[in-house]
Amino acid sequence: TATAIAPNALLTAKHCRKATTLETLLDGREVQVREVITDKNDHAIYILDGVTFKDYVPFAPKGSVRVGQTVQYLLPDGTKRAGKIVGTERIAGRTGILMDIRGGHGNSGSAITDEAGKIVMVLSYEAEDKNMIGAFPFAFRAEDLARVRGE
């Protein structure tokens, strides 16, 4: 699963995608991957050639994630799953953010948004308690995000 974050960019979990020069969109179109930007926390941005997304999702302000916050993600069929941020846990040497939302195989890479519809995280894993999901904070370099956004 991936989410459009700029006219020519998709955001996903790094573990979801193999490095490739070709990407297939939901409508079946194949587009060229010009660049892949990754961070240390399981995130990847794919910069694409030959596509312009009319609609894309903005990021929430840095530092806006808090315990008790309502968040949601969409399944590929458009179904919304919502819950709250309940805390953190250490996993694989990193701090994961736990949410009381049921996950499922194939949902990794989905954008997790706040109530305003802005991206706060990306679904990275299903927690040990199968009724919870986890995500890692973004760790992209500021200059990479500015370039993706055309700033």
Side-chain angles (χ1 to χ4, degrees), residues 8 18 26 44 104 110 114 116-117:
N8 67 334
K18 299 281 186 254
L26 283 177
S110 298
D114 62 16

Side-chain angles (χ1 to χ4, degrees), residues 38-142:
T38 61
D39 71 3
K40 64 180 180 177
N41 280 346
D42 192 36
H43 305 111
I45 297 172
Y46 282 70
I47 309 297
L48 308 174
D49 285 330
V51 67
T52 302
F53 299 112
K54 291 184 285 183
D55 299 314
Y56 47 92
V57 185
F59 285 92
K62 188 174 183 173
S64 64
V65 174
R66 66 189 184 292
V67 171
Q69 178 179 7
T70 299
V71 291
Q72 61 195 2
Y73 77 94
L74 294 177
L75 298 172
D77 68 3
T79 304
K80 184 190 311 182
R81 288 193 178 163
K84 296 202 180 293
I85 296 173
V86 296
T88 62
E89 70 175 346
R90 291 296 289 170
I91 184 165
R94 298 176 283 184
T95 299
I97 300 166
L98 289 172
M99 292 149 277
D100 64 354
I101 307 172
R102 190 169 44 88
H105 182 74
N107 296 336
S108 287
S110 298
I112 298 170
T113 59
D114 62 16
E115 289 178 300
K118 295 183 178 180
I119 299 171
V120 292
M121 294 173 276
V122 170
L123 198 161
S124 288
Y125 63 95
E126 192 170 56
E128 224 174 281
D129 174 342
K130 299 299 182 200
N131 291 313
M132 299 182 102
I133 57 171
F136 300 108
F138 291 118
F140 290 110
R141 297 179 331 168

